[in-house]
Amino acid sequence: MPYRVLIIEDEIIAATEMEYVVAEMGHDPVGIAADQKSALALAQRADIALVDLNLRDGPTGIGIGRILAQTHGVTVLFLTANPTQLGDGVPGTIGVMPKPATDRDIREAVDFAIARRVAAEAKRPSRLKLFSWDDASLV
């Protein structure tokens, strides 16, 4: 089953590469958002979101991730060059993968997010740091 994946990233080359990988996996990239306004405008169309922290409108990624997860029921995974900015994480979100991320990293992250969304067992991608409240039984 294809899932709808929202890419929240302000670096267009990185965003289009993620979009390509998601489409190649058979999923539906619903859009690329470079700021909070465009991300929230696409929120209703997404099942999964890959979220960078520092966007065109500043360090808004944490708030976007929180809103997507807690208000819209989106499965959120952060991808950022600054994972320490997340501290212990954002309630309702899965975890963080440091950038740069390879195509394989993106595939593993999306597969893991899908498994979490459907409550299936999944092997944690080696580069993914799960947030502390996340269910450790699925590691």
Side-chain angles (χ1 to χ4, degrees):
M1 174 176 138
Y3 286 85
R4 301 170 303 164
V5 182
L6 174 58
I7 297 157
I8 303 171
E9 167 66 64
D10 64 336
E11 293 177 26
I12 193 63
I13 293 171
T16 54
E17 178 64 21
M18 285 188 265
E19 183 179 53
Y20 174 79
V21 170
V22 166
E24 188 178 62
M25 293 176 72
H27 300 298
D28 179 20
V30 296
I32 295 172
D35 56 36
Q36 183 167 340
K37 182 179 178 183
S38 55
L40 296 181
L42 293 168
Q44 294 294 339
R45 297 180 56 205
D47 300 312
I48 295 166
L50 303 177
V51 183
D52 190 11
L53 298 185
N54 298 302
L55 301 166
R56 188 182 307 149
D57 55 353
T60 57
I62 292 172
I64 293 168
R66 180 179 293 113
I67 292 166
L68 290 176
Q70 296 176 3
T71 304
H72 299 283
V74 176
T75 302
V76 175
L77 195 144
F78 293 99
L79 278 95
T80 180
N82 306 293
T84 57
Q85 285 181 311
L86 286 159
D88 290 333
V90 177
T93 65
I94 295 174
V96 60
M97 182 172 285
K99 289 193 318 188
T102 66
D103 289 2
R104 180 179 174 187
D105 291 335
I106 301 300
R107 282 186 191 89
E108 289 178 354
V110 170
D111 284 343
F112 189 76
I114 290 168
R116 281 302 174 86
R117 188 165 180 82
V118 299
E121 277 207 32
K123 182 180 184 303
R124 179 184 57 84
S126 61
R127 297 190 64 231
L128 178 65
K129 176 192 173 213
L130 296 178
F131 294 140
S132 58
W133 58 83
D134 208 61
D135 182 358
S137 70
L138 296 177
V139 175

